[in-house]
Amino acid sequence: MRITKPEWLRHDADKKKLSAIFSVDFHPDGTRLATSGMDNKIRLWNTRAITAKDQEQKLISTLSSHSGAVLCVRFSHGDGRYLASGADDMVVLIWERDEGEFMPGNLSASALGGPLSETWRPMRRLTGHESDVCDLAWSPDNRFLATCGLDNTVLVWDGVTFERVAKLTGHEQFVKGLTFDPAGKYLATQSDDKTMRIWRTSDWAQHAVVSRPFEDNMFSTYFRRPSWSPDGDCVAAANAANGKVPVAAVISRDEWAADLSFVGHRAAIEAVRFNPNVFTRAESQAACVCAAGGQDRGVSVWLTSQHMPIAATTHLFTGNLMDLAWHTVPNAGDSDDDGSVVVAYLAACSYDGTVALMEFTVAELGRPVSAQAQEAMLKKHGWIRRSEGSDEDGASGQRPVLAESVEQLRLEQLGESMAAVDRDSRIAQIMDECLLAPAANTANTANTANTANTVASEPLTKVTAAGAPVPVMTKSGKKRVAPMFVRPLGGHAAQQSPAADKQSLGFDSNVAVTTTAAFPSSSLSAAAAAAAPVERVAVDAPIWIEARALGTRVLTAAENDGDTADVAITATVQPLGRQSLIHAQSISAARVHLSVPRVVAHVTCTATATLASLAAYNQAASSKIVSTAKDGSVMWTKHMTGSAVTLLTASDVVAAASCSDGTLHLFDSESGARLLPPFVGEAHLAHLRCVGKFCLALDCVGQLTVWDVDRLYAVADHVSVAPLLYSAELVADSQADGGEDPAARAPKRHKASVALTAADVTPDTGAPIVCLSDGRSFVYHLQLRSWLCIGDPAAYAGSEFAPRPPLASAHSGDVGKVAFTPTLRTPLGRIQETGWHQRNLSARKSATAKSGDVAVPAEKRRLVTLDHLEHQVMAAAAIGSSEDVTRFVAILARHLAREGDAQRTEFWMRSLLGPALAKGECPQAARDSPLVWTPMLAGVPKRQLLARVLPILAGNRSLQSMVTEYSDVLSKLLQ
């Protein structure tokens, strides 16, 4: 080691009175040495004039914008573009080299080094400290600048915009030093309160407090400047004590324990500084180099792999040592010489106004390891190269947040493997859906067969009953089936049901009511009815509320309370042989009226697990129900005397038939045995549906009932659908003004245009589900006894997961023929897809459909998407769909991780974790949660969902402290 102390390197032209130098730092390229002192100035020196003793210009520049003693100066990492300085004028200045003309204030002739060759100008002035600024440090990637002072606070600034990011106020006395973790994860600060505090850079929360090494310290110092080792394993703390012996404590990472110390100084240590490179010596492991100095006016240099210092000086200065700085010579250790090549320089400044420069050779320190090897050391602490970060971070110019623990890295790795599996399964599912998706019907011909009619014709060929097609033999010996007319001569084809070309709504997708043949008029005999041309109409057509189109309407309060003689009510059926058991007066008094299926010749229900078809054949004086098995054989037959079957449905458990006299009949699906005597309701049924053991009936006055056939229990008893219709139709009269009667300004109803398009039940609980023609869908919550909206395309139009408009037919005349974008065939997906499909049909018919998506601002789309995903999770839970819950919880977690919304993420993790173990073993928020917690969500264990989403949330390292905390607690609960 060689020591040089240039006499000309000082902060005062008067050689008799030197000004104290408080800080020193090397430019990253090693060409400049910055010093700051009591004279309120910063000076930049040519290091070549010191090391090579060339007759070059010594002083490069003088910076003199501070109004107080400059206590600290630091170059930014990398290219050294910025120089930050802090002074006792409570100001931090950011200096930048001016490539143009010299600026007044920085240009001054100097007797110390001749004319200046560089000009640095203060480009930002940072205020916020209320007392002297003692120390500052740049983060390894220059993303942050941290400053501390005698106001007991630490301020963190953005390294690009220099706006204040955070204010750290944990210390109780003067904060005199700080240093950043080279992995970018922590900031360490040291104070006169005898503590070192570790702060997370992800959220600037206090991570740990270290006090043990400073408890015995009785020394007072100007500074307490710590330093972090370049491999990230430890941080060295100044002004520590081991009993009465002053030491520099070496605090290990993660455990934050001071198991080692640099011992040998006789007085308090003011500053420690690690060389930014890791060195390796022959036949020795890699080690870090650290220098320490203080009030004994000497410097010691240590290798972390040795128990003794490799160099030590005494009485180097006549005043206390204030600061230290390292510079490693690039490529100095590449040659295979005898080790005499200088590999590093150490600069030290003192209160006596002098600076000493120490040279170290390869033989003394070893050779610097490669950049790749040093990066590998940091990666074990979660460090990531900036180019390896996400595209979003790269695009925005921000550095990625680093992992805080091994648990975080494990969760990230698990999340990546889960994402790969999800991608593979998603691609396979999309390919299957594309193969199964129906193509758009672009043919514009009048003879195109109705989709539902085609479906209905197949089971009819298997039933040998009156009116069914019968195979005949031609003269050539070939079998032919006699054609069956689908409409009367000269008539028109019935309009296709909007829902007929869609998969049946609900969970049992194989149960659907298809179109049937119309019942002949009373002038035709029963025998002629089987052979006469008939018209097919849709039994499961939308239950429209449009008054003028189909003769049904929602009555206003005035109409309901007053005379109803003039109200047109057509929701009745013509009895067949027997008078209806329902009085017309009860129907007229209702405020909601739904259309009722007409009496037709054939009503067919197809495809359950045990039934190939279930068909009803209505005759003049009776009707017959025939059940057919998969092999074509007749399983059972029922004769209904005096009434016609208007609605027919079946599940694997129960078959239901509604008759024209207002009765409802329930049979066992397999044997045909009657389960109960006929039901008689308040009005004729408009819709009938069986799913498993549940039977849903919706009458023409809007009363919906669901029975559990096994338990003989009404799951939902006369629940009105009127609120769903009213919410869609209630509007304010825009023509009323303030001078009219207040009654004229009362809310009125526009023309009814909303229809009930489908009704179903959940298979597990029997909760009724209803879809409207405006795209909305609802489920009746059995515990809350209220309707919940589980689908509303208009409410989430800006969401990334909102349904996309279907493509219109190539022919403008094909109204209602669309190609719907395939979606996941999950229970919630089928419900919401059906609602959107009906909404699109209604919009096209009213010429209000819009092409393409409406432009939505990015911020609004982000907020609406998160709200939509939370709605989807709870909607899936409301219908009891475990498949949808699992899917949307994972999607929501991905978006929460992308947005970094800590408060929202905390809520969902807390709701999934539930009450934890004993106090101290769970997050505080989980212990203090006042909500009553249930362990299941739609049949899926909540903690199982949490285990699935934790690796996804770990993808955002700004949430990692929260994620790892919940992961640890969950691991204890699942043990």
Side-chain angles (χ1 to χ4, degrees), residues 399-430:
R399 278 71 168 178
V401 181
L402 306 179
E404 297 180 0
S405 62
V406 177
E407 176 67 11
Q408 168 71 16
L409 297 177
R410 185 191 69 82
L411 291 173
E412 288 183 6
Q413 184 177 5
L414 180 59
E416 291 174 359
S417 61
M418 291 170 55
V421 174
D422 290 343
R423 282 194 299 269
D424 295 340
S425 60
R426 188 160 56 249
I427 292 174
Q429 189 170 27
I430 292 174

PDB file of all heavy atoms in Angstrom, residues 399-430:
ATOM      1  N   ARG A 399     -37.204   0.650 -12.586  1.00  0.00           N
ATOM      2  CA  ARG A 399     -36.507  -0.599 -12.311  1.00  0.00           C
ATOM      3  C   ARG A 399     -37.421  -1.561 -11.603  1.00  0.00           C
ATOM      4  O   ARG A 399     -38.324  -1.149 -10.889  1.00  0.00           O
ATOM      5  CB  ARG A 399     -35.288  -0.329 -11.434  1.00  0.00           C
ATOM      6  CG  ARG A 399     -34.073   0.147 -12.205  1.00  0.00           C
ATOM      7  CD  ARG A 399     -34.222   1.534 -12.716  1.00  0.00           C
ATOM      8  NE  ARG A 399     -32.975   2.090 -13.215  1.00  0.00           N
ATOM      9  CZ  ARG A 399     -32.887   3.281 -13.746  1.00  0.00           C
ATOM     10  NH1 ARG A 399     -33.954   4.040 -13.880  1.00  0.00           N
ATOM     11  NH2 ARG A 399     -31.727   3.736 -14.167  1.00  0.00           N
ATOM     12  N   PRO A 400     -37.213  -2.856 -11.796  1.00  0.00           N
ATOM     13  CA  PRO A 400     -38.086  -3.823 -11.108  1.00  0.00           C
ATOM     14  C   PRO A 400     -37.809  -3.852  -9.620  1.00  0.00           C
ATOM     15  O   PRO A 400     -36.698  -3.624  -9.156  1.00  0.00           O
ATOM     16  CB  PRO A 400     -37.708  -5.158 -11.786  1.00  0.00           C
ATOM     17  CG  PRO A 400     -36.318  -4.946 -12.277  1.00  0.00           C
ATOM     18  CD  PRO A 400     -36.227  -3.497 -12.670  1.00  0.00           C
ATOM     19  N   VAL A 401     -38.849  -4.139  -8.858  1.00  0.00           N
ATOM     20  CA  VAL A 401     -38.715  -4.329  -7.412  1.00  0.00           C
ATOM     21  C   VAL A 401     -38.105  -5.700  -7.163  1.00  0.00           C
ATOM     22  O   VAL A 401     -38.425  -6.672  -7.845  1.00  0.00           O
ATOM     23  CB  VAL A 401     -40.086  -4.210  -6.726  1.00  0.00           C
ATOM     24  CG1 VAL A 401     -39.945  -4.379  -5.228  1.00  0.00           C
ATOM     25  CG2 VAL A 401     -40.711  -2.862  -7.054  1.00  0.00           C
ATOM     26  N   LEU A 402     -37.247  -5.797  -6.198  1.00  0.00           N
ATOM     27  CA  LEU A 402     -36.493  -7.020  -5.971  1.00  0.00           C
ATOM     28  C   LEU A 402     -37.175  -7.901  -4.932  1.00  0.00           C
ATOM     29  O   LEU A 402     -37.912  -7.428  -4.074  1.00  0.00           O
ATOM     30  CB  LEU A 402     -35.075  -6.669  -5.516  1.00  0.00           C
ATOM     31  CG  LEU A 402     -34.330  -5.708  -6.460  1.00  0.00           C
ATOM     32  CD1 LEU A 402     -32.965  -5.402  -5.904  1.00  0.00           C
ATOM     33  CD2 LEU A 402     -34.225  -6.292  -7.857  1.00  0.00           C
ATOM     34  N   ALA A 403     -36.896  -9.188  -5.039  1.00  0.00           N
ATOM     35  CA  ALA A 403     -37.476 -10.150  -4.103  1.00  0.00           C
ATOM     36  C   ALA A 403     -36.884  -9.960  -2.721  1.00  0.00           C
ATOM     37  O   ALA A 403     -35.694  -9.672  -2.568  1.00  0.00           O
ATOM     38  CB  ALA A 403     -37.228 -11.577  -4.594  1.00  0.00           C
ATOM     39  N   GLU A 404     -37.706 -10.135  -1.706  1.00  0.00           N
ATOM     40  CA  GLU A 404     -37.283  -9.903  -0.335  1.00  0.00           C
ATOM     41  C   GLU A 404     -36.902 -11.182   0.399  1.00  0.00           C
ATOM     42  O   GLU A 404     -36.300 -11.119   1.459  1.00  0.00           O
ATOM     43  CB  GLU A 404     -38.398  -9.195   0.456  1.00  0.00           C
ATOM     44  CG  GLU A 404     -38.736  -7.819  -0.066  1.00  0.00           C
ATOM     45  CD  GLU A 404     -39.838  -7.161   0.745  1.00  0.00           C
ATOM     46  OE1 GLU A 404     -40.313  -7.796   1.710  1.00  0.00           O
ATOM     47  OE2 GLU A 404     -40.209  -6.034   0.420  1.00  0.00           O
ATOM     48  N   SER A 405     -37.287 -12.347  -0.110  1.00  0.00           N
ATOM     49  CA  SER A 405     -37.034 -13.575   0.623  1.00  0.00           C
ATOM     50  C   SER A 405     -37.039 -14.751  -0.334  1.00  0.00           C
ATOM     51  O   SER A 405     -37.452 -14.650  -1.488  1.00  0.00           O
ATOM     52  CB  SER A 405     -38.101 -13.785   1.713  1.00  0.00           C
ATOM     53  OG  SER A 405     -39.374 -13.915   1.119  1.00  0.00           O
ATOM     54  N   VAL A 406     -36.558 -15.880   0.199  1.00  0.00           N
ATOM     55  CA  VAL A 406     -36.585 -17.120  -0.587  1.00  0.00           C
ATOM     56  C   VAL A 406     -38.027 -17.543  -0.844  1.00  0.00           C
ATOM     57  O   VAL A 406     -38.355 -18.082  -1.903  1.00  0.00           O
ATOM     58  CB  VAL A 406     -35.806 -18.219   0.157  1.00  0.00           C
ATOM     59  CG1 VAL A 406     -35.889 -19.538  -0.598  1.00  0.00           C
ATOM     60  CG2 VAL A 406     -34.353 -17.809   0.344  1.00  0.00           C
ATOM     61  N   GLU A 407     -38.927 -17.284   0.132  1.00  0.00           N
ATOM     62  CA  GLU A 407     -40.340 -17.630  -0.042  1.00  0.00           C
ATOM     63  C   GLU A 407     -40.940 -16.881  -1.220  1.00  0.00           C
ATOM     64  O   GLU A 407     -41.727 -17.439  -1.988  1.00  0.00           O
ATOM     65  CB  GLU A 407     -41.110 -17.308   1.246  1.00  0.00           C
ATOM     66  CG  GLU A 407     -42.616 -17.529   1.165  1.00  0.00           C
ATOM     67  CD  GLU A 407     -42.993 -18.985   1.009  1.00  0.00           C
ATOM     68  OE1 GLU A 407     -42.115 -19.852   1.170  1.00  0.00           O
ATOM     69  OE2 GLU A 407     -44.165 -19.261   0.726  1.00  0.00           O
ATOM     70  N   GLN A 408     -40.530 -15.595  -1.401  1.00  0.00           N
ATOM     71  CA  GLN A 408     -41.016 -14.824  -2.546  1.00  0.00           C
ATOM     72  C   GLN A 408     -40.560 -15.456  -3.858  1.00  0.00           C
ATOM     73  O   GLN A 408     -41.339 -15.583  -4.805  1.00  0.00           O
ATOM     74  CB  GLN A 408     -40.507 -13.381  -2.441  1.00  0.00           C
ATOM     75  CG  GLN A 408     -40.695 -12.548  -3.695  1.00  0.00           C
ATOM     76  CD  GLN A 408     -42.129 -12.199  -3.970  1.00  0.00           C
ATOM     77  OE1 GLN A 408     -42.967 -12.321  -3.085  1.00  0.00           O
ATOM     78  NE2 GLN A 408     -42.428 -11.801  -5.187  1.00  0.00           N
ATOM     79  N   LEU A 409     -39.317 -15.871  -3.925  1.00  0.00           N
ATOM     80  CA  LEU A 409     -38.808 -16.500  -5.147  1.00  0.00           C
ATOM     81  C   LEU A 409     -39.518 -17.832  -5.405  1.00  0.00           C
ATOM     82  O   LEU A 409     -39.804 -18.180  -6.544  1.00  0.00           O
ATOM     83  CB  LEU A 409     -37.302 -16.702  -5.035  1.00  0.00           C
ATOM     84  CG  LEU A 409     -36.464 -15.414  -4.912  1.00  0.00           C
ATOM     85  CD1 LEU A 409     -34.988 -15.762  -4.725  1.00  0.00           C
ATOM     86  CD2 LEU A 409     -36.653 -14.534  -6.132  1.00  0.00           C
ATOM     87  N   ARG A 410     -39.789 -18.580  -4.335  1.00  0.00           N
ATOM     88  CA  ARG A 410     -40.497 -19.853  -4.508  1.00  0.00           C
ATOM     89  C   ARG A 410     -41.901 -19.620  -5.064  1.00  0.00           C
ATOM     90  O   ARG A 410     -42.351 -20.326  -5.959  1.00  0.00           O
ATOM     91  CB  ARG A 410     -40.581 -20.600  -3.178  1.00  0.00           C
ATOM     92  CG  ARG A 410     -41.191 -21.983  -3.275  1.00  0.00           C
ATOM     93  CD  ARG A 410     -41.481 -22.559  -1.893  1.00  0.00           C
ATOM     94  NE  ARG A 410     -42.551 -21.849  -1.243  1.00  0.00           N
ATOM     95  CZ  ARG A 410     -43.851 -22.086  -1.485  1.00  0.00           C
ATOM     96  NH1 ARG A 410     -44.212 -23.012  -2.360  1.00  0.00           N
ATOM     97  NH2 ARG A 410     -44.780 -21.405  -0.845  1.00  0.00           N
ATOM     98  N   LEU A 411     -42.593 -18.617  -4.525  1.00  0.00           N
ATOM     99  CA  LEU A 411     -43.935 -18.304  -5.010  1.00  0.00           C
ATOM    100  C   LEU A 411     -43.901 -17.843  -6.457  1.00  0.00           C
ATOM    101  O   LEU A 411     -44.792 -18.183  -7.245  1.00  0.00           O
ATOM    102  CB  LEU A 411     -44.573 -17.239  -4.122  1.00  0.00           C
ATOM    103  CG  LEU A 411     -44.940 -17.663  -2.693  1.00  0.00           C
ATOM    104  CD1 LEU A 411     -45.391 -16.462  -1.884  1.00  0.00           C
ATOM    105  CD2 LEU A 411     -46.025 -18.732  -2.716  1.00  0.00           C
ATOM    106  N   GLU A 412     -42.887 -17.051  -6.827  1.00  0.00           N
ATOM    107  CA  GLU A 412     -42.789 -16.605  -8.212  1.00  0.00           C
ATOM    108  C   GLU A 412     -42.577 -17.783  -9.161  1.00  0.00           C
ATOM    109  O   GLU A 412     -43.180 -17.853 -10.229  1.00  0.00           O
ATOM    110  CB  GLU A 412     -41.646 -15.601  -8.348  1.00  0.00           C
ATOM    111  CG  GLU A 412     -41.928 -14.248  -7.716  1.00  0.00           C
ATOM    112  CD  GLU A 412     -40.787 -13.285  -7.941  1.00  0.00           C
ATOM    113  OE1 GLU A 412     -39.851 -13.643  -8.678  1.00  0.00           O
ATOM    114  OE2 GLU A 412     -40.830 -12.178  -7.380  1.00  0.00           O
ATOM    115  N   GLN A 413     -41.701 -18.694  -8.762  1.00  0.00           N
ATOM    116  CA  GLN A 413     -41.450 -19.867  -9.599  1.00  0.00           C
ATOM    117  C   GLN A 413     -42.710 -20.714  -9.731  1.00  0.00           C
ATOM    118  O   GLN A 413     -43.039 -21.196 -10.818  1.00  0.00           O
ATOM    119  CB  GLN A 413     -40.307 -20.691  -9.007  1.00  0.00           C
ATOM    120  CG  GLN A 413     -39.899 -21.886  -9.873  1.00  0.00           C
ATOM    121  CD  GLN A 413     -38.716 -22.630  -9.277  1.00  0.00           C
ATOM    122  OE1 GLN A 413     -38.266 -22.313  -8.173  1.00  0.00           O
ATOM    123  NE2 GLN A 413     -38.195 -23.613  -9.999  1.00  0.00           N
ATOM    124  N   LEU A 414     -43.438 -20.880  -8.631  1.00  0.00           N
ATOM    125  CA  LEU A 414     -44.691 -21.621  -8.686  1.00  0.00           C
ATOM    126  C   LEU A 414     -45.706 -20.912  -9.563  1.00  0.00           C
ATOM    127  O   LEU A 414     -46.437 -21.548 -10.328  1.00  0.00           O
ATOM    128  CB  LEU A 414     -45.245 -21.787  -7.271  1.00  0.00           C
ATOM    129  CG  LEU A 414     -46.568 -22.554  -7.130  1.00  0.00           C
ATOM    130  CD1 LEU A 414     -46.438 -23.959  -7.690  1.00  0.00           C
ATOM    131  CD2 LEU A 414     -46.990 -22.602  -5.668  1.00  0.00           C
ATOM    132  N   GLY A 415     -45.756 -19.566  -9.474  1.00  0.00           N
ATOM    133  CA  GLY A 415     -46.677 -18.810 -10.319  1.00  0.00           C
ATOM    134  C   GLY A 415     -46.356 -18.951 -11.792  1.00  0.00           C
ATOM    135  O   GLY A 415     -47.256 -19.049 -12.631  1.00  0.00           O
ATOM    136  N   GLU A 416     -45.054 -18.988 -12.140  1.00  0.00           N
ATOM    137  CA  GLU A 416     -44.682 -19.154 -13.551  1.00  0.00           C
ATOM    138  C   GLU A 416     -45.094 -20.526 -14.076  1.00  0.00           C
ATOM    139  O   GLU A 416     -45.578 -20.652 -15.202  1.00  0.00           O
ATOM    140  CB  GLU A 416     -43.178 -18.955 -13.690  1.00  0.00           C
ATOM    141  CG  GLU A 416     -42.720 -17.525 -13.445  1.00  0.00           C
ATOM    142  CD  GLU A 416     -41.209 -17.400 -13.453  1.00  0.00           C
ATOM    143  OE1 GLU A 416     -40.545 -18.459 -13.639  1.00  0.00           O
ATOM    144  OE2 GLU A 416     -40.701 -16.279 -13.286  1.00  0.00           O
ATOM    145  N   SER A 417     -44.907 -21.566 -13.256  1.00  0.00           N
ATOM    146  CA  SER A 417     -45.307 -22.910 -13.698  1.00  0.00           C
ATOM    147  C   SER A 417     -46.815 -23.010 -13.837  1.00  0.00           C
ATOM    148  O   SER A 417     -47.327 -23.627 -14.778  1.00  0.00           O
ATOM    149  CB  SER A 417     -44.795 -23.956 -12.709  1.00  0.00           C
ATOM    150  OG  SER A 417     -45.343 -23.729 -11.417  1.00  0.00           O
ATOM    151  N   MET A 418     -47.558 -22.370 -12.915  1.00  0.00           N
ATOM    152  CA  MET A 418     -49.019 -22.369 -13.009  1.00  0.00           C
ATOM    153  C   MET A 418     -49.476 -21.627 -14.262  1.00  0.00           C
ATOM    154  O   MET A 418     -50.401 -22.048 -14.948  1.00  0.00           O
ATOM    155  CB  MET A 418     -49.630 -21.736 -11.764  1.00  0.00           C
ATOM    156  CG  MET A 418     -49.476 -22.552 -10.503  1.00  0.00           C
ATOM    157  SD  MET A 418     -49.959 -21.621  -9.022  1.00  0.00           S
ATOM    158  CE  MET A 418     -51.627 -21.135  -9.475  1.00  0.00           C
ATOM    159  N   ALA A 419     -48.810 -20.512 -14.567  1.00  0.00           N
ATOM    160  CA  ALA A 419     -49.185 -19.743 -15.757  1.00  0.00           C
ATOM    161  C   ALA A 419     -48.943 -20.539 -17.020  1.00  0.00           C
ATOM    162  O   ALA A 419     -49.723 -20.472 -17.973  1.00  0.00           O
ATOM    163  CB  ALA A 419     -48.404 -18.431 -15.793  1.00  0.00           C
ATOM    164  N   ALA A 420     -47.848 -21.331 -17.050  1.00  0.00           N
ATOM    165  CA  ALA A 420     -47.581 -22.142 -18.235  1.00  0.00           C
ATOM    166  C   ALA A 420     -48.652 -23.206 -18.438  1.00  0.00           C
ATOM    167  O   ALA A 420     -49.121 -23.442 -19.552  1.00  0.00           O
ATOM    168  CB  ALA A 420     -46.198 -22.802 -18.101  1.00  0.00           C
ATOM    169  N   VAL A 421     -49.067 -23.838 -17.324  1.00  0.00           N
ATOM    170  CA  VAL A 421     -50.136 -24.841 -17.420  1.00  0.00           C
ATOM    171  C   VAL A 421     -51.443 -24.193 -17.867  1.00  0.00           C
ATOM    172  O   VAL A 421     -52.170 -24.725 -18.707  1.00  0.00           O
ATOM    173  CB  VAL A 421     -50.311 -25.557 -16.071  1.00  0.00           C
ATOM    174  CG1 VAL A 421     -51.508 -26.491 -16.110  1.00  0.00           C
ATOM    175  CG2 VAL A 421     -49.044 -26.335 -15.717  1.00  0.00           C
ATOM    176  N   ASP A 422     -51.740 -23.005 -17.308  1.00  0.00           N
ATOM    177  CA  ASP A 422     -52.973 -22.304 -17.683  1.00  0.00           C
ATOM    178  C   ASP A 422     -52.970 -21.933 -19.154  1.00  0.00           C
ATOM    179  O   ASP A 422     -53.990 -22.034 -19.835  1.00  0.00           O
ATOM    180  CB  ASP A 422     -53.150 -21.052 -16.829  1.00  0.00           C
ATOM    181  CG  ASP A 422     -53.473 -21.389 -15.385  1.00  0.00           C
ATOM    182  OD1 ASP A 422     -53.869 -22.545 -15.146  1.00  0.00           O
ATOM    183  OD2 ASP A 422     -53.311 -20.517 -14.524  1.00  0.00           O
ATOM    184  N   ARG A 423     -51.799 -21.502 -19.664  1.00  0.00           N
ATOM    185  CA  ARG A 423     -51.728 -21.139 -21.081  1.00  0.00           C
ATOM    186  C   ARG A 423     -51.993 -22.343 -21.974  1.00  0.00           C
ATOM    187  O   ARG A 423     -52.733 -22.259 -22.960  1.00  0.00           O
ATOM    188  CB  ARG A 423     -50.360 -20.538 -21.388  1.00  0.00           C
ATOM    189  CG  ARG A 423     -50.188 -19.105 -20.948  1.00  0.00           C
ATOM    190  CD  ARG A 423     -48.967 -18.483 -21.589  1.00  0.00           C
ATOM    191  NE  ARG A 423     -47.745 -19.171 -21.212  1.00  0.00           N
ATOM    192  CZ  ARG A 423     -47.005 -18.847 -20.166  1.00  0.00           C
ATOM    193  NH1 ARG A 423     -47.365 -17.827 -19.407  1.00  0.00           N
ATOM    194  NH2 ARG A 423     -45.911 -19.517 -19.875  1.00  0.00           N
ATOM    195  N   ASP A 424     -51.384 -23.478 -21.617  1.00  0.00           N
ATOM    196  CA  ASP A 424     -51.585 -24.679 -22.440  1.00  0.00           C
ATOM    197  C   ASP A 424     -53.046 -25.100 -22.443  1.00  0.00           C
ATOM    198  O   ASP A 424     -53.622 -25.416 -23.486  1.00  0.00           O
ATOM    199  CB  ASP A 424     -50.701 -25.816 -21.925  1.00  0.00           C
ATOM    200  CG  ASP A 424     -49.225 -25.499 -22.101  1.00  0.00           C
ATOM    201  OD1 ASP A 424     -48.906 -24.613 -22.931  1.00  0.00           O
ATOM    202  OD2 ASP A 424     -48.393 -26.121 -21.405  1.00  0.00           O
ATOM    203  N   SER A 425     -53.683 -25.126 -21.243  1.00  0.00           N
ATOM    204  CA  SER A 425     -55.081 -25.539 -21.171  1.00  0.00           C
ATOM    205  C   SER A 425     -55.986 -24.535 -21.850  1.00  0.00           C
ATOM    206  O   SER A 425     -56.982 -24.902 -22.468  1.00  0.00           O
ATOM    207  CB  SER A 425     -55.495 -25.717 -19.707  1.00  0.00           C
ATOM    208  OG  SER A 425     -55.350 -24.502 -19.005  1.00  0.00           O
ATOM    209  N   ARG A 426     -55.642 -23.245 -21.755  1.00  0.00           N
ATOM    210  CA  ARG A 426     -56.483 -22.221 -22.374  1.00  0.00           C
ATOM    211  C   ARG A 426     -56.435 -22.331 -23.891  1.00  0.00           C
ATOM    212  O   ARG A 426     -57.433 -22.190 -24.575  1.00  0.00           O
ATOM    213  CB  ARG A 426     -56.035 -20.835 -21.913  1.00  0.00           C
ATOM    214  CG  ARG A 426     -56.954 -19.732 -22.354  1.00  0.00           C
ATOM    215  CD  ARG A 426     -56.773 -18.485 -21.494  1.00  0.00           C
ATOM    216  NE  ARG A 426     -55.406 -18.013 -21.490  1.00  0.00           N
ATOM    217  CZ  ARG A 426     -54.587 -18.068 -20.437  1.00  0.00           C
ATOM    218  NH1 ARG A 426     -55.008 -18.582 -19.306  1.00  0.00           N
ATOM    219  NH2 ARG A 426     -53.353 -17.601 -20.505  1.00  0.00           N
ATOM    220  N   ILE A 427     -55.234 -22.589 -24.443  1.00  0.00           N
ATOM    221  CA  ILE A 427     -55.119 -22.736 -25.895  1.00  0.00           C
ATOM    222  C   ILE A 427     -55.921 -23.933 -26.378  1.00  0.00           C
ATOM    223  O   ILE A 427     -56.637 -23.884 -27.374  1.00  0.00           O
ATOM    224  CB  ILE A 427     -53.644 -22.868 -26.292  1.00  0.00           C
ATOM    225  CG1 ILE A 427     -52.925 -21.529 -26.038  1.00  0.00           C
ATOM    226  CG2 ILE A 427     -53.503 -23.285 -27.741  1.00  0.00           C
ATOM    227  CD1 ILE A 427     -51.437 -21.586 -26.271  1.00  0.00           C
ATOM    228  N   ALA A 428     -55.826 -25.051 -25.632  1.00  0.00           N
ATOM    229  CA  ALA A 428     -56.591 -26.234 -26.014  1.00  0.00           C
ATOM    230  C   ALA A 428     -58.085 -25.969 -25.953  1.00  0.00           C
ATOM    231  O   ALA A 428     -58.852 -26.403 -26.819  1.00  0.00           O
ATOM    232  CB  ALA A 428     -56.221 -27.411 -25.112  1.00  0.00           C
ATOM    233  N   GLN A 429     -58.512 -25.249 -24.939  1.00  0.00           N
ATOM    234  CA  GLN A 429     -59.943 -24.956 -24.791  1.00  0.00           C
ATOM    235  C   GLN A 429     -60.429 -24.049 -25.907  1.00  0.00           C
ATOM    236  O   GLN A 429     -61.512 -24.224 -26.446  1.00  0.00           O
ATOM    237  CB  GLN A 429     -60.200 -24.315 -23.434  1.00  0.00           C
ATOM    238  CG  GLN A 429     -61.674 -24.180 -23.098  1.00  0.00           C
ATOM    239  CD  GLN A 429     -61.868 -23.761 -21.652  1.00  0.00           C
ATOM    240  OE1 GLN A 429     -61.019 -23.126 -21.083  1.00  0.00           O
ATOM    241  NE2 GLN A 429     -62.988 -24.132 -21.085  1.00  0.00           N
ATOM    242  N   ILE A 430     -59.604 -23.050 -26.265  1.00  0.00           N
ATOM    243  CA  ILE A 430     -59.996 -22.151 -27.354  1.00  0.00           C
ATOM    244  C   ILE A 430     -60.109 -22.910 -28.656  1.00  0.00           C
ATOM    245  O   ILE A 430     -61.022 -22.699 -29.458  1.00  0.00           O
ATOM    246  CB  ILE A 430     -58.982 -21.001 -27.462  1.00  0.00           C
ATOM    247  CG1 ILE A 430     -59.088 -20.100 -26.229  1.00  0.00           C
ATOM    248  CG2 ILE A 430     -59.205 -20.192 -28.731  1.00  0.00           C
ATOM    249  CD1 ILE A 430     -58.030 -19.011 -26.181  1.00  0.00           C
TER     250      ILE A 430
END
